[in-house]
Amino acid sequence: MAVQVLPAALAAKIAAGEVVERPASVVKELCENALDAQAAAVAVGVEQGGLRRIVVADDGTGISGTELPLTVRRYATSKISSVEDLAAIQTLGFRGEALASIAAVSHLHVRSRTAADRAAHVLTAVGGERVAVEPAAGPVGTAVDVQHLFFNVPARLAFCKSPQAETQRIIQCVQHLALSHPAVRFTLTVNGREVFAASGSGRIEDVFIAMHGHEIAEQLIAIDEPLVHGVLVQPTVNRGNRTGISLFVNNRWVQQRALTYAITDVYAELMPEGRYPLAALNVALPWEEVDVNVHPQKSDIRLKDAGRIVRQLRSAVRSVLAQHVAVQPMRQHFQSMDSWRSASAAAVPGQSGQAVDLFRPAGAGTTTPENGAVHSAPSAPAELRVLGQLGNMYVIAEGVDGMYLIDQHSAHERVLYEAVLKRLPGAESQPLLQPQPLALSPTHVQWLETHVEELARMGFALEPFGNDAWLLRAVPVFLADKGHDWGGFVVTVIEQEDNPDYRGDPLERLRWVIACHGAVKAGDVLSHEQIMALLSALERCDLARTCPHGRPTMVRLSHAQLAREFGRT
Ligand code: ADP
Ligand code: MG
């Protein structure tokens, strides 16, 4: 075929495909226009997964009759006017493409009226052509009615899923827009039935509850800081995937892996592997630090200093959880432990257990918490009175609100983990008598080279030994007396980089393992002083209630529960 310029109508359909991929993209663009027009209420209605009909009505500023025809012209927008404006976009839309794209692939009616207009006007278009504008009756605001979406693009229509599946995406989309603008009243009607409503109270918690159900109301943890505002949940509320985590940057819903990890990394310390929390967080950044002009659908963005933002987000989440994660009463806890077991068994068969067995020092005898933070403050927390050790596994203690059982291994793991994480004194490195060579492939050598300083700060001293060979010269002091092939171990962890199922950061994995191997074991006899030191170090931890893998460090049997057990109530 010879090179030729495509007819305008065909070019318009191709361009439309980038913006309007499926019915939910239409809903998103129309709702964003309503939000940009300062609407206080947005009513969305869809039929047949949006393929037959999508209506979005708002009470925003409206469009005057004279401007109405412009709105379906490509690159016609009222939101930016210069290239400087692109550097700091404050509206959800700015490309002037949405209405033109939607018009090109549907039967479109737009009825609108501004406060200054005496009457409304209605624009009609079919496949982007035969555009007509007529006066009509109607309130101030805009109602966009999209029918027969993709009627003239059979390829796109074939690509759409079942109406049910498309409806699910639309629900998700409207819920996220409502989360991002809690002061706006949203309703969503599917085939004539209301399936979602957000009250417009201005509280993100209310939208979150409307979305996830009333059962979670008691489990919410609010976060309200200059950088980040929103809701988190207690770790008892968790799911098998990350879809319950909703993230916004400057009130725009974004899908940004790095930001998601900032949250899941922290929760990983509180939950079994393979489980994820619910969250809705808005990150507030200066406009010029966010580039939204990356993709026509605008959910992929670039952040100027992503690394710093991720670090700040992680530490904000961590500190709010540190304040709010409570010790669970025992009975409830046993139930959640069952789900813990089945969840971790399902998620990564044998993986966490395997790591423990593989690297446990051979023939480890009785070890004691003689290192670092455990030793530095030999007084028990004022609230807990130590009663003794149970089965050389658990510490029994009394607190004002009942009896506590503390898992000595999990508790010590938590203490050591935070010591390594925060580089507390005691978490230094100790030279090996015999340096150990590491056998690494070239890609892994590269990883090692970029992380060697970070590894050194954790206590692993490594040095190059010519020809891609490296030597392990020192290990974290917690590991020093646990004779083991730490070189082989470091290699295993680095190789995890290649595993697509592997969650997160190898450095984090190393911290876990240092903590696990450095900690006292179940079966170790502890002296009273050692127990006191352990408990007081535990109390100083940020997330004292779980070990770094999310297992509990302690459970509580309350006085009320005891009274019930003994028939005293
Ligand atoms: P963009 O949002 O990128 O500007 P659109 O194609 O979505 O492009 O919309 C084109 C223009 O139409 C907008 O800039 C705005 O001026 C006007 N508009 C569209 N929808 C609405 C609405 N619901 N209320 C008021 N004005 C609207
Ligand atoms: Mg728009």
Side-chain angles (χ1 to χ4, degrees):
M1 234 190 292
V3 177
Q4 54 179 333
V5 175
L6 295 175
L10 178 52
K13 281 184 200 166
I14 292 172
E18 285 190 3
V19 181
V20 190
E21 197 184 346
R22 53 184 356 122
S25 355
V26 173
V27 172
K28 170 176 176 288
E29 294 296 336
L30 297 181
C31 289
E32 289 188 348
N33 282 345
L35 294 170
D36 282 343
Q38 314 297 323
V42 180
V44 183
V46 300
E47 292 172 25
Q48 273 215 343
L51 289 166
R52 180 186 297 174
R53 190 171 191 197
I54 297 169
V55 181
V56 175
D58 68 57
D59 60 355
T61 53
I63 310 160
S64 70
T66 46
E67 285 178 18
L68 207 45
L70 278 179
T71 60
V72 292
R73 293 259 301 272
R74 186 162 299 277
Y75 310 125
T77 179
S78 56
K79 299 173 191 174
I80 59 171
S81 58
S82 69
V83 71
E84 287 77 42
D85 292 345
L86 265 189
I89 290 163
Q90 307 190 15
T91 48
L92 293 167
F94 59 92
R95 300 172 63 107
E97 291 179 311
L99 280 182
S101 301
I102 296 166
V105 295
S106 71
H107 292 222
L108 178 70
H109 299 251
V110 183
R111 194 198 65 222
S112 195
R113 181 178 157 193
T114 66
D117 289 336
R118 317 241 326 255
H121 286 86
V122 66
L123 172 149
T124 54
V126 176
E129 293 167 13
R130 288 187 271 148
V131 179
V133 176
E134 290 166 17
V140 173
T142 305
V144 182
D145 185 343
V146 179
Q147 297 182 30
H148 312 299
L149 186 64
F150 301 137
F151 78 100
N152 53 355
V153 205
R156 201 26 80 83
L157 201 55
F159 167 84
C160 285
K161 300 249 166 27
S162 68
Q164 289 82 349
E166 295 299 339
T167 299
Q168 276 316 312
R169 286 176 185 260
I170 290 168
I171 294 174
Q172 214 198 15
C173 167
V174 172
Q175 288 177 333
H176 281 88
L177 287 160
L179 277 177
S180 70
H181 290 75
V184 176
R185 209 161 62 246
F186 271 92
T187 55
L188 172 60
T189 310
V190 173
N191 301 328
R193 202 171 59 86
E194 184 176 290
V195 298
F196 174 74
S199 66
S201 69
R203 287 168 31 95
I204 193 169
E205 290 91 330
D206 293 339
V207 188
F208 198 73
I209 291 168
M211 182 170 167
H212 293 293
H214 274 278
E215 313 80 65
I216 60 152
E218 302 281 288
Q219 311 294 327
L220 300 188
I221 299 172
I223 178 164
D224 192 5
E225 298 196 5
L227 176 74
V228 51
H229 169 88
V231 271
L232 297 163
V233 291
Q234 290 286 345
T236 39
V237 182
N238 55 63
R239 282 192 180 173
N241 59 47
R242 296 183 184 82
T243 55
I245 302 171
S246 307
L247 287 171
F248 307 88
V249 170
N250 293 347
N251 303 313
R252 180 191 300 278
W253 183 26
V254 294
Q255 255 126 25
Q256 213 75 1
R257 280 170 73 114
L259 294 181
T260 309
Y261 278 136
I263 296 159
T264 54
D265 275 358
V266 178
Y267 272 98
E269 294 181 46
L270 296 163
M271 285 177 180
E273 203 161 345
R275 303 297 296 175
Y276 303 94
L278 304 176
L281 298 181
N282 181 50
V283 179
L285 295 173
W287 297 108
E288 52 294 347
E289 286 191 16
V290 185
D291 185 0
V292 290
N293 190 17
V294 175
H295 187 272
Q297 293 174 16
K298 298 164 289 180
S299 67
D300 190 9
I301 58 167
R302 297 266 184 287
L303 301 176
K304 227 166 229 169
D305 193 352
R308 176 181 53 85
I309 293 162
V310 166
R311 277 196 301 283
Q312 288 177 349
L313 181 60
R314 187 186 290 134
S315 91
V317 168
R318 198 162 193 278
S319 66
V320 76
L321 290 181
Q323 287 162 39
H324 289 100
V325 175
V327 183
Q328 299 162 53
M330 241 184 225
R331 190 175 297 272
Q332 211 184 319
H333 207 82
F334 287 143
Q335 284 162 9
S336 65
M337 280 307 289
D338 288 342
S339 57
W340 188 88
R341 265 182 221 108
S342 49
S344 43
V348 199
Q351 188 169 324
S352 45
Q354 195 185 24
V356 172
D357 290 335
L358 251 182
F359 301 111
R360 176 164 304 188
T366 298
T367 47
T368 53
E370 61 203 0
N371 293 316
V374 168
H375 220 55
S376 56
S379 64
E383 323 83 70
L384 284 186
R385 191 166 70 90
V386 173
L387 302 176
Q389 212 184 354
L390 178 68
N392 292 336
M393 269 196 250
Y394 307 106
V395 172
I396 311 176
E398 178 185 14
V400 278
D401 50 358
M403 187 189 95
Y404 286 76
L405 282 176
I406 296 114
D407 181 314
Q408 64 193 42
H409 174 68
S410 311
H412 197 199
E413 258 187 320
R414 166 54 69 185
V415 168
L416 297 188
Y417 171 81
E418 294 203 3
V420 176
L421 187 68
K422 300 177 188 166
R423 307 192 180 111
L424 296 180
E428 297 111 357
S429 74
Q430 182 162 317
L432 290 169
L433 290 178
Q434 194 79 66
Q436 298 176 0
L438 307 192
L440 285 170
S441 72
T443 38
H444 295 130
V445 165
Q446 219 169 41
W447 187 91
L448 188 63
E449 279 166 356
T450 28
H451 293 88
V452 69
E453 275 170 33
E454 192 67 29
L455 289 166
R457 278 195 289 271
M458 286 167 58
F460 291 103
L462 289 142
E463 100 191 4
F465 185 53
N467 278 349
D468 278 3
W470 283 69
L471 271 189
L472 178 64
R473 290 212 166 272
V475 297
V477 72
F478 303 139
L479 302 181
D481 62 342
K482 326 260 165 168
H484 187 76
D485 172 18
W486 295 118
F489 165 72
V490 170
V491 170
T492 312
V493 171
I494 296 175
E495 283 172 351
Q496 291 267 27
E497 269 280 281
D498 301 340
N499 179 355
D501 297 333
Y502 175 60
R503 188 203 68 79
D505 184 359
L507 297 171
E508 177 70 358
R509 191 66 154 203
L510 282 170
R511 278 183 211 112
W512 285 8
V513 171
I514 296 171
C516 182
H517 292 283
V520 293
K521 302 285 176 283
D524 291 351
V525 181
L526 302 184
S527 71
H528 189 72
E529 288 66 34
Q530 287 171 329
I531 292 175
M532 305 264 274
L534 176 61
L535 294 189
S536 87
L538 183 63
E539 277 313 299
R540 286 198 309 274
C541 287
D542 295 336
L543 299 171
R545 305 308 170 219
T546 51
C547 80
H549 326 285
R551 275 203 312 119
T553 53
M554 59 175 76
V555 294
R556 174 168 65 90
L557 188 55
S558 70
H559 286 304
Q561 277 174 296
L562 280 170
R564 261 199 311 280
E565 294 294 337
F566 287 104
R568 285 177 169 275
T569 44

